């Protein structure tokens, strides 16, 4: 439970963080809220030689209305997302999903960027990001680039963010419909989801699933059914279609398929 020895390098700005990443390459790891990285370091599943702390880069912590989209800085804490009036009005699914992350201590420390960059299929916010069809802004040595949420999660605990880059901003289109819902099935309050789902209706509906694959995934066939006006039963019946949920000590594949259908129907009907 004690991390391997590492050097600690605090960064005060995005530019300083990028320059430290350029200097130390794949020996370095970014630290935001530390709520996923530090447990991994304690278990020695991550052994970075250098930890670049971006937790004090305040200008990457904001929620701004930019017209058609809401822009969220990568270092915005879960608690700020949960309590944001802008998000409650324009992307209520995301604000509500953030209220389901861990407990108040976790939400006061963890950041939306850290949650997305950790790329854990069991995390709640990636599903909401998929459902809202967000775009992610990644900054690197040659400037900024954008990636859709569909392309962001590349493998188990892997994302599009390269070793010399950092996620800086999340751009979320304003919700155009009334219908949205987040459902999380866990054994005890504040546990991680055994299965979860984030559902948003409107012009371009989205359904993001928690713990239904090796990455955060979209329930594409159910989304198509939602788009074509199918009933909530018909949409829910397709919630696991094309997905390969894992089997672990909390539930096997068929149990997760069963849960996915029930949760998507609840999210649509509530
Ligand atoms: C007790 C406990 C319970 C939890 N329960 C839940 C839960 O129910 N649901 C849930 O979804 N999550 C849960 N979490 C995880 C929590 O949401 C974390 O806050 C989140 O996963 C990581 O955010 P962080 O800011 O702490 O990132 P960190 O741990 O600092 O970083 C995570 C990873 O992302 C990288 N990274 C961080 N920021 C950036 C960036 N801007 N650009 C590029 N890379 C970056 C880091 O290098 C690291 O690899 C829980 C955590 C704990 C400790």
């Amino acid at each position: 439970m004690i991390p391997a020895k590492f050097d600690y390098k605090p960064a005060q700005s995005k530019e300083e963080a990028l320059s430290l990443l350029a200097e130390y390459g794949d020996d370095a790891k970014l630290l935001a809220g530390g709520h996923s990285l530090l447990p991994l370091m304690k278990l020695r599943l991550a052994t970075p030689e250098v930890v670049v702390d971006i937790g004090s880069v305040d200008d990457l912590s904001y929620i701004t209305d930019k017209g058609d989209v809401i822009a969220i800085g990568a270092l915005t804490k879960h608690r700020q997302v949960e309590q944001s009036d802008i998000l409650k009005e324009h992307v209520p699914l995301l604000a509500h999903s953030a209220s389901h992350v861990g407990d108040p201590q976790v939400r006061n420390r963890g950041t939306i960027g850290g949650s997305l960059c950790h790329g854990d299929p069991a995390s709640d916010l990636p599903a909401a990001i998929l459902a809202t069809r967000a775009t992610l802004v990644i900054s690197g040595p040659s400037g900024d680039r954008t990636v859709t949420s569909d392309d962001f999660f590349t493998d188990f605990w892997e994302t599009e963010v390269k070793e010399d880059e950092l996620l800086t901003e999340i751009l979320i289109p304003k919700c155009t419909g009334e219908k949205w819902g987040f459902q999380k099935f866990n054994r005890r309050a504040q546990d991680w989801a055994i299965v979860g789902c984030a559902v948003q209706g409107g012009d371009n509906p989205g359904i993001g699933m928690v713990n239904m694959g090796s990455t955060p995934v979209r329930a594409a066939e159910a989304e198509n059914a939602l788009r074509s006006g199918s009933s909530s039963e018909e949409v829910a019946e397709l919630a696991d279609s094309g997905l390969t949920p894992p089997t672990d000590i909390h539930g096997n594949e068929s149990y997760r398929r069963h849960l996915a259908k029930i949760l998507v129907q609840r999210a649509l009907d509530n």
Side-chain angles (χ1 to χ4, degrees), residues 232-251:
S232 59
E233 290 83 358
E234 290 166 331
V235 173
E237 195 49 40
L238 294 167
D240 65 326
S241 211
L243 304 183
T244 47
T247 289
D248 59 27
I249 54 166
H250 303 295

Side-chain angles (χ1 to χ4, degrees), residues 29-30 32-37 78 102 110-111 117 123-124 167 184 192:
K29 216 54 182 125
L30 291 170
H35 268 49
S36 293
L37 181 62
H78 304 322
T111 65
C117 292
S123 291
D124 300 314
L167 176 67
K184 175 171 177 174
W192 295 76

